[in-house]
Amino acid sequence: MTVKFTKDHEWIAVSGTTGRVGITIYAQGQLGDLVYVEVPAIGKALTKGGEAAVVESVKAASEVYAPVSGKVTAANDALADAPETVNADAEGEGWLYEMEIADPAELGDLMDRAAYDAYVETLH
Amino acid sequence: MGHDDDLKYTPLYDLHLELGGKMVPFAGYAMPVQYPSGILAEHKATRDGAGLFDVSHMGQAYLEGPDVAGLIETLVPGDIKGLKPGQIRYSLLMADDGGILDDLMITRPVDDADGTRLFLVVNAACKDQDFAHIAARLAGRAVLTRLDERALLALQGPKAAALMAGLGPAANDLTFMTAAPVDVAGIPCLVSRSGYTGEDGYEISVPTDRAVELARALLAAGAAPIGLGARDSLRLEAGLCLYGHDIDPSTDPIEASLAWVLPKRRREEANFPGAARVLAALRDGVTRKRVGIKPLGRAPAREGTVIARSGGDAVGIVTSGGFGPTVEGPIAMGYVPPELAKPGTKIDLLVRGKPLPAEVVALPFTPHRYAKA
């Protein structure tokens, strides 16, 4: 399984042609305490860079974008009653949705862990 | 955030950094939006214990002149002449067209025997224009002196009084909406029993050069530092207006559900700016009314969210909206037509294009717990 990252602080863990998507630990830290998470409906078609989910902190709502194009195959419905899971474990239990990846070539545009970590360093 | 020449800094800026405050620009000042514990924990620390807020960005001033209460009554619709020494009034600085220029606290100092002095506290974003407006309107009759050499701290929460008992016990002789000079931690302060959270507590005006010393004493005694994020969620749960959002130059006090700031005498005298519009609104009714709104699901409805009749057309707008940590759910305030303003009325909130069911509710969302006389 490989994990890739976007500049908008999403991660996608890829196995075969499916990917599990969430926001990064850095992103949850920037957002602060989350109080609401809206995950996409199963079957929803996603376009790379398009809106896929919404995470809301006490202060503000933020869109979560699709790292690649594809179709939603599963959603983490447990977040409806426990949005704080994203704060506690953003890159684990706090995943948002799973998708069937339409074009694996799009993954090539994303960063690996080392490149993402270096990118985050530039934001401080 | 590094130093930015366009921003102003309160005397507590370095202390905020030391405490890990996440600094953001607010009303021209670098202010902490939160500390490392986070907005939810800070909110709860204030509701359950005692929170310390830096509100030094707000404007403080003395207004002095013969019959100063009568003079300021030409600018606000409240009963200021009726203030006894040491009493505080919440009021509104009125535009000539009946809109609201700002909301403010007006205190008659406890040592003002002859009715010649008032202490004013106004919003940070409005202070320059407020003070210019007051000084210009009362030119030749009263003198406004800005107290830019004073900081302002708020200590709020159910344990604020116990905390104050150790540092400035005379503050606990004050009841809600009264003020007096009190030494707190050995520092001469002007303490008001008031606040912006719905909780018991104090607003403490302190000389700038002793503000850090006072803040450290309050923190050492057990107060938690609280940022602007929790300040906003606390005041929203308390149903209190945020100027520039829930009230502004386009809203009149009746639409804003602030008719209680206009006592009978002032209505009869009808001699405050905008009285024609305001009294007409009282007599004939208004086309919109500020109400509390409880989304029935879990999604927050933010400021700017369109309000629609249940299953129907757009009729209003959310002016403050977010998550209430004590309510444990989304809460909002906004303007709706008067026929929809009754608590229990079902409405829709158009969140990301989807109508979400909500209900008009009575304010506040969390009961006020003031130290009433």
Side-chain angles (χ1 to χ4, degrees), chain B residues 109-347:
Chain B
V110 74
D111 60 357
D112 173 59
D114 55 357
T116 58
R117 196 153 64 111
L118 294 170
F119 172 63
L120 312 179
V121 179
V122 306
N123 279 300
C126 303
K127 64 183 175 184
D128 292 338
Q129 57 265 41
D130 284 0
F131 290 155
H133 171 78
I134 294 167
R137 287 293 185 100
L138 303 181
R141 293 176 289 164
V143 175
L144 184 129
T145 307
R146 290 178 64 134
L147 300 174
D148 292 332
E149 75 293 353
R150 294 187 78 85
L152 194 64
L153 306 186
L155 178 70
Q156 300 278 295
K159 293 184 179 162
L163 196 156
M164 192 62 100
L167 293 175
N172 286 341
D173 296 336
L174 298 169
T175 54
F176 181 59
M177 295 299 270
T178 65
V182 175
D183 283 357
V184 184
I187 303 164
C189 298
L190 174 62
V191 177
S192 303
R193 196 105 186 222
S194 61
Y196 194 45
T197 61
E199 300 296 332
D200 182 22
Y202 315 85
E203 290 181 327
I204 309 169
S205 176
V206 57
T208 295
D209 60 0
R210 304 198 72 178
V212 170
E213 182 188 348
L214 175 64
R216 286 193 190 281
L218 294 167
L219 293 168
I226 312 296
L228 292 176
R231 182 168 164 83
D232 192 50
S233 57
L234 288 158
R235 71 92 196 167
L236 179 55
E237 283 186 340
L240 301 172
C241 289
L242 176 59
Y243 189 79
H245 301 261
D246 306 301
I247 52 176
D248 65 29
S250 79
T251 55
D252 72 46
I254 312 307
E255 294 172 328
S257 301
L258 295 173
W260 59 271
V261 308
L262 289 91
K264 185 158 170 278
R265 172 174 66 83
R266 300 304 314 276
R267 296 179 191 197
E268 288 170 359
E269 291 174 354
N271 58 356
F272 54 88
R277 169 177 169 187
V278 173
L279 296 173
L282 271 174
R283 188 179 60 240
D284 306 332
V286 291
T287 58
R288 57 178 180 162
K289 196 95 183 141
R290 179 178 63 95
V291 294
I293 298 166
K294 183 82 192 80
L296 298 180
R298 295 186 61 111
R302 306 288 174 175
E303 180 178 0
T305 299
V306 170
I307 302 169
R309 289 178 203 280
S310 188
D313 52 324
V315 291
I317 200 136
V318 169
T319 51
S320 285
F323 182 83
T326 304
V327 173
E328 298 185 327
I331 53 173
M333 296 197 294
Y335 282 83
V336 298
E339 69 269 22
L340 299 182
K342 194 165 164 254
T345 304
K346 296 286 189 289
I347 54 175

Side-chain angles (χ1 to χ4, degrees), chain B residues 8-86:
Chain B
K8 289 179 278 189
Y9 300 86
T10 75
L12 300 188
Y13 178 74
D14 289 335
L15 178 60
H16 295 315
L17 294 184
E18 180 186 320
L19 295 168
K22 184 176 171 183
M23 307 304 286
V24 299
F26 179 82
Y29 284 81
M31 298 299 290
V33 66
Q34 65 167 83
Y35 298 90
S37 64
I39 296 174
L40 290 178
E42 291 168 29
H43 181 110
K44 287 171 182 164
T46 307
R47 285 271 183 260
D48 298 339
L52 177 66
F53 305 71
D54 178 11
V55 287
S56 301
H57 54 319
M58 297 184 77
Q60 305 178 64
Y62 278 120
L63 184 67
E64 291 165 289
D67 184 29
V68 70
L71 293 174
I72 197 133
E73 281 195 2
T74 65
L75 305 178
V76 306
D79 175 22
I80 311 304
K81 288 180 184 173
L83 285 179
K84 298 185 184 76

